[in-house]
Amino acid sequence: MKTSKLIAALLCVSTIVACKSEKKEDTKQEVQQEQKVEDTPKTYAEISVAQGGEWKDGPRGHQEYSNGTSFKNVNRLKVPAQHTDHTWFIRYEGPGWESNKVGYRLYLDWRNAIDIFGKKTDTMVLGQVGQDGFDSYHEPQPWGQDILKVGKGLGVGSLGRLVNDEVLHFKNVDSTFASVENSANASSVVVDYYGWKTGEDTIDLQSTLSIQPDKRYTKHTIQPSKAVDGIVTGIIDHKVSYFTKESENKKWAYIATYGEQTLVPDDLGMAVIYEVDTTVEVKKGEFDYLVEFKPTTEPVSFYFLGAWEQEPEGIKTEKEFLDYLDGLLTELNSNNTL
């Protein structure tokens, strides 16, 4: 009898120990799963250049990078002197950056426009964009597609200089360097332009583009080496609804467009949000709605964004878009930063 009770007691103890071990293992797995979710990146930036080919004279009167075998990501790039638009050297034609909401790319040539990659997923996609054909991203893909037709405009949030009512892009530049950085809290692209000549002025200019997890907007900080008038940013005019508004304290304001203005075609909202005291005026250019900055050599920051209707759980109406912008203005009104 005593032996039976002893065996029963030992079995009970073994069961308790086993249960505790299972609970510890379950807790360990839960922690590992939580850690894995936390470690999943929500932003990414890259610049990727062709390998294995060579520069040759092309049919359009400038050199092209021919017979490239693959693309290689680099942290920093000096743009080759022969590089211009459609030379097949830089994958999707410039650096790209994304959050789990939206992606952007900068044409790293004389156009200097910023384009939008609409995303149908909340995962990082830029690493696969343009790998299956140089401009395959113009067609619908499982992850999304290039959705903005830039044409001769600035796209959204890029830079130019207004001289005699004409927006001059970066056609005359001595040299251009681009670098990327990825961290847990943000991804950034930094572009340094040396010897940018417009009108009678030649300046250097640094442009820093940074995106945060769970955000659509990019923070764009610019710093010219010389205080010149006419530096502008803006939004390409696609003949849809146009809006302007100031924050309650009048320190911040936005220009925005909303409507059917994608290559799909479907609805897209775009906005530039700027600090009023850093600007001269808002005006209409030939191809864009423009925000002109005051001459300065100090850093100037503003924000720009795209909101596509096919984004998962995205903004699907004009009212939702304007409500979203109002929320950003309220945040800036309170904190003076996003």
Side-chain angles (χ1 to χ4, degrees):
M1 185 70 177
K2 289 181 178 179
T3 303
S4 299
K5 288 182 179 179
L6 178 60
I7 292 171
L10 290 172
L11 287 172
C12 183
V13 170
S14 298
T15 302
I16 292 171
V17 170
C19 288
K20 287 183 177 179
S21 297
E22 288 176 4
K23 287 181 180 178
K24 286 182 179 178
E25 186 63 31
D26 290 343
T27 302
K28 183 178 179 182
Q29 290 177 355
E30 288 174 6
V31 170
Q32 288 176 339
Q33 182 65 28
E34 289 175 2
Q35 185 66 38
K36 185 176 180 181
V37 171
E38 290 175 0
D39 289 346
T40 301
K42 289 187 175 183
T43 68
Y44 177 62
E46 68 172 11
I47 184 166
S48 185
V49 297
Q51 305 288 299
E54 60 182 332
W55 290 98
K56 293 183 178 180
D57 291 337
R60 296 189 300 145
H62 59 68
Q63 289 196 313
E64 296 177 355
Y65 195 82
S66 301
N67 303 316
T69 58
S70 62
F71 287 100
K72 177 184 177 181
N73 280 23
V74 295
N75 291 325
R76 182 173 169 82
L77 172 70
K78 179 181 180 181
V79 179
Q82 60 269 56
H83 176 68
T84 183
D85 62 289
H86 299 92
T87 56
W88 327 121
F89 177 65
I90 305 177
R91 183 158 57 88
Y92 54 78
E93 301 199 88
W97 62 101
E98 64 179 320
S99 71
N100 50 322
K101 298 286 188 182
V102 65
Y104 301 96
R105 63 171 172 146
L106 170 71
Y107 298 134
L108 200 59
D109 52 58
W110 68 270
R111 296 169 295 174
N112 200 63
I114 292 175
D115 202 348
I116 300 174
F117 287 128
K119 293 176 60 172
K120 298 178 182 178
T121 175
D122 60 3
T123 60
M124 301 299 98
V125 303
L126 287 181
Q128 61 184 287
V129 174
Q131 297 279 18
D132 56 347
F134 191 83
D135 54 3
S136 59
Y137 47 81
H138 288 120
E139 301 299 326
Q141 306 288 335
W143 58 264
Q145 69 177 93
D146 177 332
I147 58 174
L148 184 62
K149 182 174 177 58
V150 171
K152 296 181 179 179
L154 293 172
V156 57
S158 60
L159 299 175
R161 188 178 180 210
L162 194 62
V163 178
N164 297 325
D165 294 326
E166 179 185 3
V167 176
L168 303 180
H169 295 243
F170 283 67
K171 193 169 185 178
N172 296 310
V173 181
D174 289 343
S175 60
T176 302
F177 292 80
S179 61
V180 297
E181 182 177 348
N182 292 289
S183 69
N185 299 318
S187 292
S188 301
V189 174
V190 179
V191 185
D192 287 292
Y193 305 94
Y194 295 100
W196 178 30
K197 180 172 173 50
T198 52
E200 300 299 318
D201 296 291
T202 300
I203 68 170
D204 303 332
L205 186 142
Q206 184 176 81
S207 166
T208 303
L209 303 136
S210 181
I211 198 164
Q212 301 173 32
D214 304 311
K215 307 301 183 184
R216 296 181 182 89
Y217 55 78
T218 292
K219 182 178 182 179
H220 194 172
T221 300
I222 62 174
Q223 185 167 15
S225 63
K226 178 181 176 182
V228 295
D229 59 10
I231 292 181
V232 293
T233 188
I235 304 172
I236 182 73
D237 175 18
H238 281 314
K239 312 302 179 187
V240 295
S241 298
Y242 171 69
F243 308 92
T244 63
K245 189 171 183 177
E246 286 189 339
S247 62
E248 186 177 336
N249 62 9
K250 307 298 182 183
K251 290 187 66 175
W252 291 86
Y254 69 68
I255 62 171
T257 64
Y258 189 87
E260 189 177 288
Q261 55 178 337
T262 74
L263 295 167
V264 178
D266 60 1
D267 288 339
L268 170 70
M270 293 185 285
V272 169
I273 308 171
Y274 58 93
E275 193 170 7
V276 175
D277 283 349
T278 66
T279 63
V280 177
E281 62 179 325
V282 171
K283 61 176 68 176
K284 181 65 177 68
E286 184 178 2
F287 303 109
D288 312 274
Y289 297 103
L290 300 172
V291 177
E292 182 179 350
F293 296 103
K294 293 177 180 177
T296 184
T297 57
E298 296 298 313
V300 174
S301 294
F302 61 96
Y303 303 88
F304 66 84
L305 61 92
W308 186 37
E309 70 163 285
Q310 291 196 53
E311 171 194 322
E313 301 179 8
I315 292 169
K316 300 186 183 301
T317 68
E318 182 181 288
K319 182 182 183 306
E320 288 177 359
F321 181 60
L322 295 178
D323 288 346
Y324 166 65
L325 294 182
D326 286 347
L328 296 179
L329 278 188
T330 298
E331 186 175 348
L332 285 165
N333 195 80
S334 300
N335 304 326
N336 210 40
T337 188
L338 292 178

